[in-house]
Amino acid sequence: MLADALPWQRSWLHEARALALGHHHAWLIVGRRGDGVAHAAGALVAALLCHAPRDGVACGECPSCRWLAGDVHPDFKALYPDVGDGETVKLPTIKVDAVRDALDFMQLTASTPHGRVLLVDPANALARESANALLKALEEPPPNTRWLLVTSQPERLLPTIRSRALKLRVPRPARADAAAWLAEQGVAGDAATAGLEQTLGAPLDALVALQSESAAALPEFLRDLLRPGQLPTLKWGAWVEGGAKAERRDRFATLLRALLDWTADWARVRGGMAPLVFVPQAKELSGLARGLPLAEALRYHRGLLRKLNLPDTTLSARLQLESTLLDYRALFSR
């Protein structure tokens, strides 16, 4: 079921619908996940298919809106990645067979004059063969179709796909709007402020972090990162594996993201700048591995970034994390 637009996306939605209807068939919906880019794309799908939109927003009452609400719309298809079962750390991938089924679907005649819509979320999950299959359709699309590709990293898409789609950038919320939305979700005051600081102003990420049981482990994890030589890699590997199967991916991702932000803030402090995420730990960061060359730490940080897009593997989340932390120990213990 598609989500409604978030408060800071409503004026964008009106403009995006007008552009998508009048100018092109393929669009890159670009924005941060934590700002609600998926919400924006879903709201645009509903607005494009709605029989009686109001100020560019789906009415929520017509047959099209009811079909979407029930996941039975005859003119809408969504491609989402296979994320695995949580037992192993896998790259969420949209397989080529799913793309081919979607392309066959888009060739059919629409049931209403509003046409057919394909949503690919996220487009970066397309395997290379899948992306090439989609590319052929983008070059010669069936009439009366709209193709919406959601991405937080457009630069990682094939250049040929980027060249055949126009970009619609979803706005980031102002800090006041993000805080107001968090308050509506039951998070306000210092907790909201801390969550937004930790997620660089991304309210959806802040809400997930504040509500996640993994977040409770972060203070202890940060304390351990400050003592690289004694960092208990096996303890944190066991912690990741100790969660239920569905939680292991989240636990791994939580610690990996914290390690990414931690090393980035260390590099900022090392370069004479203020940290962006771990502001309260600025003093501790400045004393961590003073003699470590900045280039070596940045090389480790780039390796962490690559782990955000791990290939399909049977290697467990526990082993992935323990290996990453062993490298941290070796680097920051010098």
Side-chain angles (χ1 to χ4, degrees):
M1 181 176 175
L2 300 178
D4 294 330
L6 295 164
W8 53 89
Q9 299 169 349
R10 286 168 188 159
S11 61
W12 171 88
L13 180 59
H14 177 78
E15 298 172 3
R17 179 180 180 274
L19 287 170
L21 286 175
H23 293 274
H24 199 52
H25 65 281
W27 296 87
L28 291 179
I29 313 300
V30 180
R32 297 193 305 176
R33 306 299 296 186
D35 292 333
V37 65
H39 286 69
L44 181 56
V45 168
L48 290 171
L49 292 172
C50 181
H51 298 175
R54 301 166 185 167
D55 296 325
V57 179
C59 70
E61 302 169 356
C62 69
S64 175
C65 290
R66 292 197 297 270
W67 292 334
L68 279 177
D71 285 334
V72 293
H73 202 294
D75 297 326
F76 170 66
K77 186 80 169 179
L79 286 175
Y80 300 118
D82 174 13
V83 297
D85 60 4
E87 181 72 25
T88 57
V89 181
K90 298 178 66 177
L91 173 67
T93 302
I94 298 174
K95 305 295 187 183
V96 67
D97 289 343
V99 172
R100 288 170 178 158
D101 287 344
L103 298 182
D104 290 342
F105 173 86
M106 294 296 281
Q107 292 288 342
L108 301 174
T109 302
S111 62
T112 76
H114 299 278
R116 296 201 152 203
V117 176
L118 175 67
L119 176 69
V120 184
D121 184 16
N124 298 90
L126 290 164
R128 179 166 291 274
E129 188 179 5
S130 304
N132 287 331
L134 183 66
L135 176 62
K136 295 178 182 178
L138 293 179
E139 291 172 341
E140 299 180 7
N144 201 20
T145 57
R146 298 290 181 272
W147 307 67
L148 306 183
L149 283 68
V150 182
T151 179
S152 299
Q153 299 174 301
E155 69 281 357
R156 297 182 67 91
L157 295 174
L158 289 178
T160 44
I161 286 184
R162 294 202 307 268
S163 68
R164 286 161 177 77
L166 299 182
K167 185 183 296 184
L168 281 170
R169 184 167 291 279
V170 178
R172 295 178 61 175
R175 185 60 66 96
D177 292 335
W181 181 81
L182 284 173
E184 292 176 359
Q185 314 309 310
V187 179
D190 292 342
T193 300
L196 290 172
E197 286 181 352
Q198 185 177 341
T199 59
L200 303 180
L204 275 70
D205 284 348
L207 182 63
V208 170
L210 292 167
Q211 293 180 339
S212 170
E213 62 89 22
S214 299
L218 283 180
E220 184 178 354
F221 184 60
L222 299 182
R223 287 193 295 271
D224 285 342
L225 291 181
L226 283 169
R227 302 186 298 273
Q230 292 79 45
L231 178 61
T233 58
L234 296 180
K235 179 186 82 171
W236 289 108
W239 178 79
V240 166
E241 193 174 64
K245 182 181 291 189
E247 296 174 356
R248 291 172 192 171
R249 179 185 294 277
D250 177 63
R251 290 188 174 202
F252 176 85
T254 296
L255 297 190
L256 180 62
R257 172 54 63 185
L259 194 55
L260 266 167
D261 292 336
W262 180 260
T263 51
D265 271 356
W266 178 87
R268 292 187 186 96
V269 172
R270 183 78 162 74
M273 297 180 289
L276 288 181
V277 177
F278 297 108
V279 177
Q281 290 83 16
K283 183 177 179 180
E284 289 87 347
L285 282 165
S286 68
L288 179 63
R290 292 180 185 272
L292 177 65
L294 185 58
E296 291 189 39
L298 291 177
R299 193 175 300 115
Y300 175 78
H301 181 77
R302 286 194 294 272
L304 293 176
L305 288 172
R306 288 191 290 271
K307 289 182 184 295
L308 290 177
N309 299 282
L310 288 168
D312 281 2
T313 177
T314 57
L315 191 60
S316 72
R318 174 176 185 162
L319 293 178
Q320 290 279 4
L321 180 67
E322 289 175 357
S323 173
T324 300
L325 294 182
L326 282 172
D327 290 342
Y328 178 91
R329 284 183 57 168
L331 181 68
F332 281 88
S333 298
R334 296 177 185 178

